[in-house]
Amino acid sequence: MPRESLEVDVVFVGGGPASLAGAIRLAQLARAAGKELSIAVIEKGKQMGSHGLSGAVLDPIALRDLLPDFRKRGAPIEWEITEDRLYFLTARKYFPVPYTPPPLYNHGFFTISLSRFVEWLAAEAEKLGVMIFPGFSAVELLYDADRVVGVRTGDKGVGRNSQPKENFEPGIDVRAGITALGEGPRGTLSKGLIQRFRLDSGRNPQVYSIGIKEIWELPKGRVDRGRVIHTLGFPLDSSTFGGGFLYSLSRDLLSVGLVVGLSYLDPLLDPHQEFQRFKTHPFIASILEGGKMVEYGAKAIPESGYFAVPQLVVDGAALIGDSAGFLNPQRLKGIHLAMKSGMLAAEAFFEALERKDVSRQQMEGYPRRVRESWIQRELYRSRNFHQGFKYGLWGALLNAGLMQVTGGRGFGLFHRLHEEPGFARMRKVEEYYRGRPAGTQPPPFNGKLTFDKLTDVHFSRTAHQEDQPVHLRIHDYSICHERCIREYGNPCQRFCPASVYEMVEMDGQKKLQLNPSNCVHCKTCDIMDPYEIITWVPPEGGDGPGWQHS
Ligand code: SF4
């Protein structure tokens, strides 16, 4: 069957805030100059926003710049934040932290649902003539020698045995002058581009967290408007990066979640289980009392900040948003940075297209703009924050305090602080437990306050065609069955928040069984596997979670 192709000036891969802000800015520039540009955004989710998940608190600095009348245009702002609270939790008690550190000061910012926000941004882009294509997974970059010339979307209607089914449709080649990769954290094409051109050479490794959240509907009037709460401590031990959050949303909804650094030491730690335990804390349980859970989701978060941002451009392509690691771990936010990176990239793209030159040298206009912008100033001030967690929570807090008085240097007074990849910190079971009883008991899942993974997955509205090639590539099963089981106890069963990985008894031996249709596309397995033998690739376009409030 012949493959269709589409020619555009710029294609944005991934329909998140970076791509959509970039597409809008590019369309604005073209319109202001009286030029016609064809701009496309392709998104793997069934609808725009259905794969968008974040806490989320939005610093509107980039939004104000992009669409100053965003209120009039009906931007789905939940609440303006009027109250910030930070608590330290022990197993049963909670202690308010009397002083909110400046990076956590959110007054005047907004709580949002990223999925609703993205849906709105896409509609704004469409008004400017941007072509939006949800339901298409980009699976391959197209090259002309070393120049990126577009992307190929995945075939549809392929069976589990990789053979075409009756409804087979080949993927489309989207040929583009410039390809912008805004696939979110650990994007598949972004990872390939970074590896091919060694764009991360000399940079710190990107270390991620997993954010796991539920949306709760509370009894009418019980959500404290404009209040955001962050917590430290329980249920995480002091060697594990992370903390909890509760953000008030409109319509009596509350976003409650736990971030767990994917750099933990305990191979038997289960982030989903820790999140369930978090909700059983008397303080958190009292807030959720009388409510019901209505949505569940999880996503990786790039935490390493300034020193892990790779080179941003190659001939014909650029990395934007979370795919480039534009997130400020100290402020716990990245949507504003993602949007601004897309907008600055768009300005450079416009200049490159005007000059009919998309070479890396010309595209350097994008990183130059980043260096001259508030992105650089903001990330540079937080540059040594995440690395401080290699000294544990108390060392990290001391480092963060020092950063406030040393212009962001912290413990790295005379040098940049390095860190190792998150998976490399995981200890083997014997080494970690040294004869102590291994693992922790899950809290009882009562279906009211606490839920098992499968119940939670049901609330993510995740759906995949069952009859399609497995989108999790295990490069060597013998490692799972012979080494990993002995050394790490197959941690994929625990770090996956959706029960995709299960070790089951087969022919008298424990073997790995995959349940790919549960996958909520968080990318944790691609990141945290200690042997680096799992590769996540996009399933058929339109498959995956169906988030509406996340
Ligand atoms: Fe996340 Fe991987 Fe599990 Fe999918 S299979 S939910 S990407 S950890």
Side-chain angles (χ1 to χ4, degrees), residues 471-472 495-498 500-501 518-526 536:
H471 70 279
L472 302 145
F495 58 58
C496 170
V500 170
Y501 298 87
N518 291 349
C519 176
V520 295
H521 296 202
C522 72
K523 314 285 180 70
T524 300
C525 51
D526 194 294
W536 187 97

